[in-house]
Amino acid sequence: MAGRSGRISDEDIALVRERSPIADVVGEHIQLRNAGGGNLKGLCPFHDEKSPSFNVTPARGYYYCFGCAEGGDVITFVRKIENLTFTEAVERLAQRAGIQLRYEQGGYVPGREQGERLRLIEAHRAAAEFYAERLSGPEAAPGRRFLSERGFERADAEHFGVGYAPNEWEALSRHLMARGFTSQELIKGGLAREGRRGPVDRFRGRLIWPIRDITGDVIGFGARKLLDSDDGPKYLNTPESPIYHKSSVLYGVDLAKREIAKRSQAVIVEGYTDVMACHLAGVPTAVATCGTSFGEEHIKVLRRLLLDQAEFRGEVIFTFDGDSAGQKAALRAFQDEQKFVTQTFVAVQPDGLDPCDLRVKQGDAAVRDLIASREPLFAFAIRSILSRYDLNTNEGRLAALDAAAPVVASIKDPGLRKTYVVDLDRWIGFMDEGFVIQRVQQVVGRTQEGGRGPGRQQGRQQQAARTPAPAGSAPTRQEPLDPAVRLEAEALKLAVQRPALLGPEFDALGAATFTLPEHVALYEVVVAAGGTAAGGPGGREWVDRLLEQADAGTPGGTGVDLRSLVTRFAVEAVRADVNVEERYGAAVLAKIQEVAVGRAVAQVKSRLQRLNPVEEQQEYNRLFGELVALEQQRRVLRERASGA
C-alpha cells in the first residue's frame, strides 16, 4: 500500500499476516472464549452489546461481528481498533512480530518517515527507557526515597517501569532529538512543549510512571512532584495526543488484563502507587484512571476484558477513601453501575487509608482483606444517603426514605430490588415493608413526572428496549426463518470454508438455485473465483481469493457488501460437527437441489392446471412426463439429503 515512504512489498504484508495470529492480536483487546467449531467469541469492541456476537476464526484468520457486521482480517482489526491507515496497521503488526519491512520505493525506511503513530510510540518507548535509567542517578534520590517510604523496592520500580525526569529544561528533548526524533514529534506526543528556543521538557524533577495501552505500548506518562520549588500540581499527566486519550486509558491494564479475564474481577483504585501496592500484595486485577474520573470509555474497556455478558457473573470493585470525598466518588461510580451487567462493589477502608498506605502500615494481607470485605455498591450508595439524616426522628426517617427510594427503584433485577426494599426498611427502622414499598412507588412516580432521577431514566431505558432501533444504528443479524434460506446459507458457508466438500456439483447448481439477492451475489463470487472445485481444502488463501473477487464485483451490481458477506460466511460456524462434515456437505447439496426441484415441480403443476388435456394433448403429455421425471429426481435427492 502507498505511504510516505513507498509501497510495502506484498511479500512483507503476507509475512505480517502470517506472523500475526488473529486470536492473539484480538485477544490483547478483548477476552475471547471457545464458541465451538473452531471459533472464538467475545464482546464486540466496535459497538456496545450485552451478549457476545463478535466471532474470530483463527484457522482462516478472520473476524466478524454478527451484531454490527464489522469484519475482516488481522490488519483490518488493527486499523479499526487503533484508528490507523493500512500502512500504519501493517507497521504496527510488523513491529509486534519483529519484522523489518521493505518499501518498494526506496528500500528500508528511515525512522523519521514511518507512520505517525509508530513514531510517537517509539519516542515514548525511548523516553520511558531514558527516565528509568535516570532513577538510579544521584539527582533522583528524592524519588527513590519517595518509593522506599511507600514500601517499594528497586525491583518493584523496575517491574512497573518507574523512572525519574531530570530537573533540566531540555534533558529528554536533547536525548530524543539526538536519536532522530523531531521537535514537532516531541511536542505532538506531549513529551515536550514549545519554548522560546525550541522544545522544553514537559516533566522536570519528577517521579515518572509510564502509562501503557492494553497491548503494552507506552503512550503517556504520569509525573509526581518531588521538589518544594516545583509550583506545579502534585500529579501531572501527558496531555491529549494522537496516541493518548485519558478518557479510555487505565493505568496497569497491560499487566492486569489476563488476571481480570481469568478471575472475572476488576479492582478500580485511585492512583499509580495504589495499583503497584495491590499487584504486589496479591491483587493483580487492580487498575486506575489517569487524571480523570472513571467514565463510560473505561467501562467499555473493562466489559470487554470481563466478557461482561451475564447477570452477576463477575465483579467490579471500586476502592475509595473513607472520607466524604471518597463517598462522593463512590456515588459518582453508582451512576455508571447500570452500564455494567456484572455486580459492582465498593471497598472502603474505615480509617481512610488508601491501598498503598494500608500496605505500608498493615502489610499485604490487609490489602487483600480490604478487597475481600467489599460491599455491594447499591448497599453503599443507600447507606451513604441514609447517613445524612437523623434516623431518630420520624421526620428524618421519612426524608431518608424519600431520598433513598430512587436508588432502590433504579435496581434492574426485580428480586434484588425487593431485597433492598426489605433492607431499606430495616436500616431506617420503620419495620413496615408495605409502607416502604408504597412510599418507594410514590417517590418514583413523582420523579418520573418531574423528568429527573433514576426512575425516569429506567423508564426511558425500558421504552427504548421496546422501540425499534433507528436507521443508522448497528444492524442486528437475525436468523432467517425460511428453512430454504437457511439451507442456502449453509451451502454457501461450506463453499467458503470447506469447498472440497462440495466440489463441481456446487458450481453446477446455477445462480437460480438461490433466492436471496445476497446469496446469489456470493454464489457468483465463488464461481468467478474458479468455483469450489478450485478451492481445495479452503483456508486463508481461498478466502483471500474470494475477497479479491468480491472487490472486483459481479455482473449486474447487486449493491450487496460482498466483502462483508464473504467474511461473515468465513467466520460463521457450520451447523455440523467436524467429524461428519463430509456427509453433511453431500446432504446439503442434495437438499438444496431437492428444494430447487421442488420449485420446478410446483411450476410444472401450475402450467398443467392451465392446460386443456383434450385440446392441448401433446403439450399436456410432455409436461406430465416432465413432472414424473422431476418427482423421481426429487425422491432420489430426498434420500441423499436425509443427513442435512
Side-chain angles (χ1 to χ4, degrees):
M1 299 299 292
R4 280 179 285 177
S5 308
R7 188 180 188 278
I8 301 174
S9 70
D10 291 340
E11 293 82 0
D12 283 357
I13 293 174
L15 184 63
V16 166
R17 284 195 179 101
E18 179 185 334
R19 294 188 183 175
S20 304
I22 192 166
D24 293 348
V25 174
V26 173
E28 292 177 348
H29 297 269
I30 67 175
Q31 184 187 166
L32 294 172
R33 290 189 174 167
N34 193 331
N39 277 12
L40 302 171
K41 182 178 285 190
L43 288 173
C44 181
F46 304 120
H47 81 288
D48 289 333
E49 60 178 4
K50 293 296 185 183
S51 299
S53 57
F54 185 89
N55 284 254
V56 176
T57 304
R60 286 177 287 280
Y62 283 90
Y63 72 90
Y64 187 83
C65 176
F66 292 100
C68 68
E70 285 284 356
D73 64 3
V74 67
I75 296 175
T76 309
F77 179 83
V78 172
R79 284 186 67 181
K80 291 183 181 296
I81 198 75
E82 299 189 19
N83 194 27
L84 306 177
T85 65
F86 181 91
T87 299
E88 289 171 335
V90 174
E91 291 172 343
R92 172 80 174 81
L93 289 168
Q95 180 190 38
R96 179 184 180 278
I99 297 171
Q100 177 67 63
L101 295 174
R102 293 166 295 175
Y103 292 72
E104 294 182 347
Q105 300 173 18
Y108 290 98
V109 187
R112 66 179 183 277
E113 297 179 348
Q114 296 177 12
E116 177 185 84
R117 186 185 190 282
L118 185 59
R119 292 288 297 158
L120 295 181
I121 290 292
E122 290 181 346
H124 279 73
R125 181 186 299 110
E129 293 172 353
F130 173 84
Y131 289 139
E133 290 171 359
R134 297 307 181 278
L135 185 61
S136 59
E139 186 188 1
R144 295 194 299 272
R145 185 165 57 252
F146 175 94
L147 293 172
S148 178
E149 289 172 352
R150 284 155 182 80
F152 302 123
E153 301 176 355
R154 183 187 184 96
D156 302 330
E158 291 176 354
H159 178 69
F160 289 92
V162 183
Y164 175 77
N167 191 25
E168 303 174 31
W169 287 102
E170 303 163 352
L172 176 67
S173 297
R174 286 197 307 269
H175 174 78
L176 293 180
M177 291 174 70
R179 297 186 60 171
F181 296 100
T182 67
S183 60
Q184 290 81 5
E185 287 173 332
L186 303 188
I187 293 168
K188 195 164 191 176
L191 295 168
R193 54 184 176 83
E194 192 72 66
R196 284 177 293 183
R197 292 178 297 178
V200 175
D201 292 355
R202 180 170 295 276
F203 307 116
R204 301 187 303 276
R206 287 176 173 252
L207 200 60
I208 300 290
W209 282 267
I211 300 170
R212 296 181 172 88
D213 66 13
I214 199 167
T215 68
D217 283 334
V218 179
I219 56 174
F221 295 96
R224 209 279 188 188
K225 180 167 67 173
L226 296 171
L227 307 174
D228 294 336
S229 58
D230 188 340
D231 58 358
K234 181 185 288 188
Y235 280 95
L236 184 64
N237 291 328
T238 293
E240 291 285 309
S241 78
I243 62 173
Y244 181 80
H245 307 287
K246 64 182 180 181
S247 64
S248 59
V249 173
L250 288 167
Y251 175 73
V253 72
D254 58 308
L255 298 174
K257 64 182 181 182
R258 300 201 184 282
E259 287 297 323
I260 289 174
K262 179 180 176 182
R263 303 186 183 200
S264 292
Q265 179 199 75
V267 176
I268 317 300
V269 298
E270 292 192 313
Y272 306 123
T273 57
D274 292 331
V275 171
M276 294 175 67
C278 283
H279 281 244
L280 295 171
V283 184
T285 58
V287 294
T289 59
C290 300
T292 186
S293 299
F294 186 80
E296 191 165 344
E297 293 303 313
H298 300 120
I299 291 172
K300 290 178 181 178
V301 173
L302 290 180
R303 287 197 68 238
R304 294 195 294 267
L305 291 177
L306 288 164
L307 193 55
D308 184 30
Q309 63 168 317
E311 289 288 351
F312 310 129
R313 194 183 172 283
E315 54 187 32
V316 175
I317 304 169
F318 296 91
T319 64
F320 300 104
D321 294 343
D323 57 15
S324 59
Q327 290 193 1
K328 288 180 180 178
L331 292 176
R332 282 198 305 271
F334 170 75
Q335 302 303 316
D336 288 322
E337 192 279 338
Q338 306 286 355
K339 296 172 185 174
F340 283 106
V341 178
T342 192
Q343 293 184 95
T344 49
F345 297 86
V346 174
V348 177
Q349 183 68 14
D351 54 14
L353 296 177
D354 59 32
C356 180
D357 291 337
L358 181 63
R359 178 172 178 262
V360 171
K361 294 187 176 183
Q362 300 182 31
D364 291 349
V367 177
R368 296 193 297 271
D369 290 344
L370 168 65
I371 304 305
S373 65
R374 63 201 180 279
E375 180 181 15
L377 185 53
F378 282 123
F380 181 83
I382 295 169
R383 286 178 179 274
S384 296
I385 292 171
L386 299 184
S387 67
R388 302 199 296 262
Y389 298 89
D390 181 2
L391 302 184
N392 294 315
T393 67
N394 290 332
E395 292 80 3
R397 285 196 294 270
L398 198 57
L401 174 56
D402 288 354
V407 174
V408 176
S410 70
I411 299 174
K412 293 174 289 187
D413 183 83
L416 190 63
R417 186 165 59 244
K418 176 66 186 321
T419 300
Y420 275 107
V421 167
V422 175
D423 286 341
L424 180 59
D425 176 45
R426 179 166 51 85
W427 291 335
I428 293 177
F430 278 118
M431 307 307 290
D432 187 344
E433 291 177 22
F435 173 74
V436 172
I437 291 172
Q438 182 182 26
R439 195 73 177 185
V440 166
Q441 292 172 341
Q442 290 174 350
V443 172
V444 170
R446 292 200 300 270
T447 303
Q448 290 175 338
E449 290 172 9
R452 293 186 178 184
R456 183 169 180 83
Q457 180 183 10
Q458 185 185 39
R460 284 175 175 169
Q461 291 170 343
Q462 292 170 345
Q463 178 63 31
R466 294 191 293 266
T467 304
S473 62
T476 299
R477 179 181 171 270
Q478 295 183 346
E479 187 72 16
L481 299 177
D482 187 345
V485 174
R486 290 204 302 268
L487 188 65
E488 292 175 17
E490 282 299 292
L492 288 166
K493 276 189 284 185
L494 289 172
V496 173
Q497 298 180 26
R498 306 280 195 275
L501 297 180
L502 302 180
E505 194 172 353
F506 175 87
D507 303 332
L509 289 175
T513 304
F514 299 88
T515 56
L516 286 189
E518 61 186 80
H519 290 174
V520 173
L522 182 53
Y523 174 81
E524 291 176 346
V525 164
V526 173
V527 172
T532 51
R540 178 60 185 263
E541 292 183 2
W542 172 240
V543 175
D544 287 346
R545 192 190 310 179
L546 293 177
L547 287 170
E548 290 176 7
Q549 189 58 47
D551 286 336
T554 55
T558 61
V560 175
D561 185 350
L562 293 175
R563 283 191 66 88
S564 178
L565 199 61
V566 170
T567 307
R568 187 187 113 194
F569 280 122
V571 171
E572 187 171 352
V574 173
R575 293 176 179 273
D577 184 87
V578 66
N579 297 320
V580 297
E581 277 186 356
E582 188 170 349
R583 294 200 309 274
Y584 183 69
V588 166
L589 270 178
K591 186 67 176 176
I592 201 170
Q593 291 177 81
E594 180 199 345
V595 172
V597 170
R599 288 197 292 266
V601 166
Q603 291 173 359
V604 170
K605 285 182 176 180
S606 177
R607 289 164 61 190
L608 279 172
Q609 289 175 352
R610 295 195 299 271
L611 291 177
N612 187 317
V614 176
E615 296 176 0
E616 301 170 282
Q617 183 177 8
Q618 185 175 358
E619 178 65 9
Y620 185 90
N621 289 340
R622 186 188 69 77
L623 286 175
F624 188 80
E626 185 177 334
L627 177 62
V628 171
L630 286 171
E631 288 285 15
Q632 175 62 27
Q633 183 183 2
R634 184 160 66 167
R635 280 194 296 272
V636 173
L637 290 169
R638 187 173 294 148
E639 292 175 2
R640 288 174 51 196
S642 59

